[in-house]
Amino acid sequence: MDQFQALQDRINRRIFLKRGSGVGLAALFSLLGADALAFDGKKPGARYGGLSGLPSFSAKTKRVIYLFQSGGPSQMELFDPKPALEKQRGQDLPESVRNGQRLTGMTSGQAKFPVAPSIFKYSQHGQAGIWLSELLPHLAEVVDECCFIQSMFTDQINHDPAVTFFQTGSQIAGRPSIGSWLSYGLGTENRDLPAYTVLTSVGKGRSDQPLYDRLWGSGFIPTQHQGVKLRNTGDPVVYLSDPEGVDRTSRRDMLNDLAALNKLEFKIAGDPEINTRISQYELAFRMQTSVPELTDISKEPSSVLEMYGPDVKHPGTYAYNCLLARRLSERGVRFVQLFHMGWDQHGDLPNQIKGQCRDTDQASAALVKDLKQRGLLDETLVVWGGEFGRTVYSQGDLSMTSYGRDHHPRCFTVWMAGGGVKPGLNFGKTDDYSYNITENPVSVHDLHATMLYLMGIDHTRLTYRYQGRDFRLTDVFGEVVKDILA
């Protein structure tokens, strides 16, 4: 009777539906992927976890490093030159260009929308003659490896939903992030490190928009697939070090006993998350050995450290995180995401964007160079971009040396390198005001579909059933942008 009562108390409606529909069993097998679906780790191309049948066709890349520039970098100052606008400096943006498109509350009350040409110079680089701002001298050295999508657009005009949209394919919080989808579908190549790892940094002198752990969450798919954030100070992962007086053997014995208790709990409750707990404890134990080695950059050649710049020796900087991303990727981590804050420049944009570019330009280019010289660029997709662009008109006062720009979702630039994209390509065009797209628009769903395609996944087939519906990263949208594929 007591056992029956325990079952009644512990099995709620959600767990009953999961078990009854078979979804619980599917989740269980995905949670136990390191055992049930593992390939021999000693063989080349070993894989742990993931779904049977994926990749479903030949993948052009194995791993992704996503350099997310939080706050919305200005395409006009970096990638999209409009020199003819100098003749219209200070003039009101024609209504025929804006065409009634919505504005944020920060500029909707302005009496005028004065055109603010960029004060930075542009020049052409590489065999393809790609135009780049003087703010990006290091990226200019690798333009022939990059594909610049100048015709990105998004549906959101405010930070939180726009960042959430780029990470999860939905403007509403609660969906799995793109890294979680790839962990769920493809597993990892290194069972001693998370399949999905997150690193964060802040631009010098900027706090900017906050980041939330849900941006790398797994939503409704098993929590085993959520991103693991490496901290900037202290232990990279909380409780990575054993407490004083606890040795490795004692820790192993404790985990064995804890696993036994959790298995008993699973027999009673049937909650797949219990098995996630077991697998995560085991991963944490293995990370106690793998992470200290990962984060020790002392053995990196001086030439490599110099390539990333002086900040590389300081944990928590963008440069350090770029080097760490390379080290994670070469160890088989499926999806590495860097979040760099500080691009939300509503005022004093010229000075602030100089600082952001000093933080990011050299290290971003060094990552591409480093991957290439190690023979890893062809199998690693690097993506750089923010959640939206900035307006052609000035927010607040406009002078010859200072101005600000508001959020602009209608057109902005994202660049990609390696991993099966065409190198040395400018894709898409904007109008004379960098306000509307005139050629080859690319949506957030299109970008996601293309990233999955490069990983050997048909975005319409990577789904997870939740609350009676099959969900996917691209919802019911998205087309692969085949013109940018090598």
Side-chain angles (χ1 to χ4, degrees), residues 169-421:
S170 172
Q171 303 163 31
I172 301 174
R175 300 281 183 89
S177 61
I178 182 172
S180 296
W181 278 111
L182 286 173
S183 171
Y184 169 67
L186 295 177
T188 184
E189 296 176 307
N190 187 335
R191 67 193 298 267
D192 295 336
L193 288 169
Y196 177 19
T197 305
V198 175
L199 306 163
T200 63
S201 57
V202 181
K204 291 183 179 67
R206 294 282 296 167
S207 58
D208 210 39
Q209 299 296 323
L211 295 174
Y212 309 97
D213 286 2
R214 60 173 169 77
L215 294 174
W216 46 89
S218 59
F220 43 71
I221 65 178
T223 53
Q224 176 184 352
H225 303 292
Q226 69 185 0
V228 174
K229 178 184 174 183
L230 300 188
R231 301 193 306 163
N232 295 328
T233 58
D235 281 344
V237 180
V238 178
Y239 307 124
L240 189 65
S241 301
D242 288 327
E244 187 176 349
V246 177
D247 57 24
R248 187 86 172 155
T249 301
S250 299
R251 175 69 78 181
R252 179 67 268 170
D253 291 341
M254 183 196 75
L255 288 178
N256 289 342
D257 293 341
L258 190 59
L261 290 172
N262 278 320
K263 288 175 182 177
L264 289 174
E265 183 85 355
F266 179 76
K267 287 182 180 179
I268 296 174
D271 187 347
E273 287 299 307
I274 295 173
N275 287 295
T276 289
R277 191 185 310 156
I278 295 172
S279 67
Q280 295 302 77
Y281 283 149
E282 293 299 320
L283 173 61
F285 181 73
R286 296 193 296 271
M287 286 171 64
Q288 287 185 307
T289 299
S290 62
V291 169
E293 184 275 332
L294 164 75
T295 56
D296 180 9
I297 66 171
S298 62
K299 296 181 181 179
E300 287 284 346
S302 58
S303 59
V304 170
L305 297 178
E306 290 171 3
M307 185 167 60
Y308 282 89
D311 284 347
V312 75
K313 296 181 180 180
H314 304 291
T317 62
Y318 182 82
Y320 176 85
N321 287 348
C322 280
L323 177 57
L324 212 58
R326 189 222 78 204
R327 292 171 64 86
L328 284 160
S329 186
E330 70 182 342
R331 285 161 174 76
V333 174
R334 184 71 66 188
F335 194 91
V336 183
Q337 184 147 31
L338 279 66
F339 288 88
H340 185 71
M341 296 174 278
W343 293 96
D344 189 25
Q345 292 147 0
H346 291 273
D348 195 27
L349 183 147
N351 285 327
Q352 291 182 12
I353 202 167
K354 286 178 185 177
Q356 286 297 101
C357 289
R358 282 194 296 268
D359 286 343
T360 61
D361 176 46
Q362 182 172 356
S364 298
L367 176 61
V368 175
K369 294 177 185 177
D370 202 3
L371 289 168
K372 185 173 183 179
Q373 70 184 14
R374 291 170 181 270
L376 295 171
L377 187 59
D378 287 345
E379 61 183 35
T380 307
L381 177 65
V382 180
V383 182
W384 187 105
E387 67 268 35
F388 39 56
R390 315 301 295 195
T391 55
V392 64
Y393 60 81
S394 176
Q395 177 176 347
D397 295 334
L398 168 64
S399 73
M400 294 298 294
T401 58
S402 184
Y403 48 87
R405 298 193 191 279
D406 201 359
H407 310 163
H408 188 60
R410 300 298 301 174
C411 64
F412 55 102
T413 300
V414 166
W415 64 259
M416 309 167 78
V421 298

Side-chain angles (χ1 to χ4, degrees), residues 53-75:
L54 291 182
S56 53
F57 49 85
S58 179
K60 296 180 181 294
T61 189
K62 296 179 180 179
R63 295 171 290 277
V64 176
I65 299 176
Y66 193 171
L67 309 175
F68 191 79
Q69 312 300 315
S70 180
S74 172
Q75 75 283 2

Side-chain angles (χ1 to χ4, degrees), residues 93 193 382 436 461:
L93 178 68
L193 288 169
V382 180
N436 298 293
R461 300 184 66 183

Side-chain angles (χ1 to χ4, degrees), residues 415-465:
W415 64 259
M416 309 167 78
V421 298
K422 282 183 182 177
L425 177 67
N426 252 348
F427 184 79
K429 292 182 180 179
T430 62
D431 63 16
D432 294 338
Y433 292 85
S434 191
Y435 204 92
N436 298 293
I437 295 170
T438 59
E439 186 178 301
N440 296 322
V442 177
S443 72
V444 175
H445 294 303
D446 295 337
L447 180 68
H448 287 164
T450 304
M451 291 171 69
L452 292 182
Y453 178 85
L454 290 168
M455 300 290 287
I457 298 173
D458 178 347
H459 71 103
T460 66
R461 300 184 66 183
L462 179 58
T463 62
Y464 190 90
R465 180 163 284 271

Side-chain angles (χ1 to χ4, degrees), residues 23-241:
V23 174
L25 291 177
L28 175 59
F29 279 113
S30 71
L31 291 168
L32 298 178
D35 299 314
L37 298 174
F39 292 87
D40 186 347
K42 297 180 181 180
K43 293 180 180 179
R47 192 184 84 180
Y48 302 91
L51 300 177
S52 178
L54 291 182
S56 53
F57 49 85
S58 179
K60 296 180 181 294
T61 189
K62 296 179 180 179
R63 295 171 290 277
V64 176
I65 299 176
Y66 193 171
L67 309 175
F68 191 79
Q69 312 300 315
S70 180
S74 172
Q75 75 283 2
M76 294 192 64
E77 267 63 39
L78 302 176
F79 308 109
D80 198 6
K82 303 295 180 185
L85 288 181
E86 187 60 41
K87 297 178 181 179
Q88 299 186 51
R89 174 181 292 276
Q91 296 182 22
D92 206 24
L93 178 68
E95 177 57 34
S96 60
V97 175
R98 188 160 68 85
N99 198 26
Q101 294 168 8
R102 61 180 174 161
L103 307 174
T104 75
M106 291 169 284
T107 55
S108 61
Q110 289 188 183
K112 293 185 178 181
F113 300 94
V115 171
S118 174
I119 66 172
F120 298 104
K121 297 178 182 178
Y122 275 77
S123 55
Q124 290 180 286
H125 302 275
Q127 295 181 0
I130 303 293
W131 289 93
L132 278 185
S133 166
E134 61 181 314
L135 294 171
L136 303 172
H138 296 280
L139 186 63
E141 298 173 3
V142 295
V143 288
D144 285 333
E145 304 295 341
C146 302
C147 171
F148 296 87
I149 303 175
Q150 294 189 312
S151 51
M152 280 296 308
F153 71 93
T154 181
D155 297 338
Q156 267 299 331
I157 199 169
N158 292 310
H159 291 288
D160 192 329
V163 176
T164 301
F165 191 22
F166 257 97
Q167 305 314 311
T168 70
S170 172
Q171 303 163 31
I172 301 174
R175 300 281 183 89
S177 61
I178 182 172
S180 296
W181 278 111
L182 286 173
S183 171
Y184 169 67
L186 295 177
T188 184
E189 296 176 307
N190 187 335
R191 67 193 298 267
D192 295 336
L193 288 169
Y196 177 19
T197 305
V198 175
L199 306 163
T200 63
S201 57
V202 181
K204 291 183 179 67
R206 294 282 296 167
S207 58
D208 210 39
Q209 299 296 323
L211 295 174
Y212 309 97
D213 286 2
R214 60 173 169 77
L215 294 174
W216 46 89
S218 59
F220 43 71
I221 65 178
T223 53
Q224 176 184 352
H225 303 292
Q226 69 185 0
V228 174
K229 178 184 174 183
L230 300 188
R231 301 193 306 163
N232 295 328
T233 58
D235 281 344
V237 180
V238 178
Y239 307 124
L240 189 65
S241 301

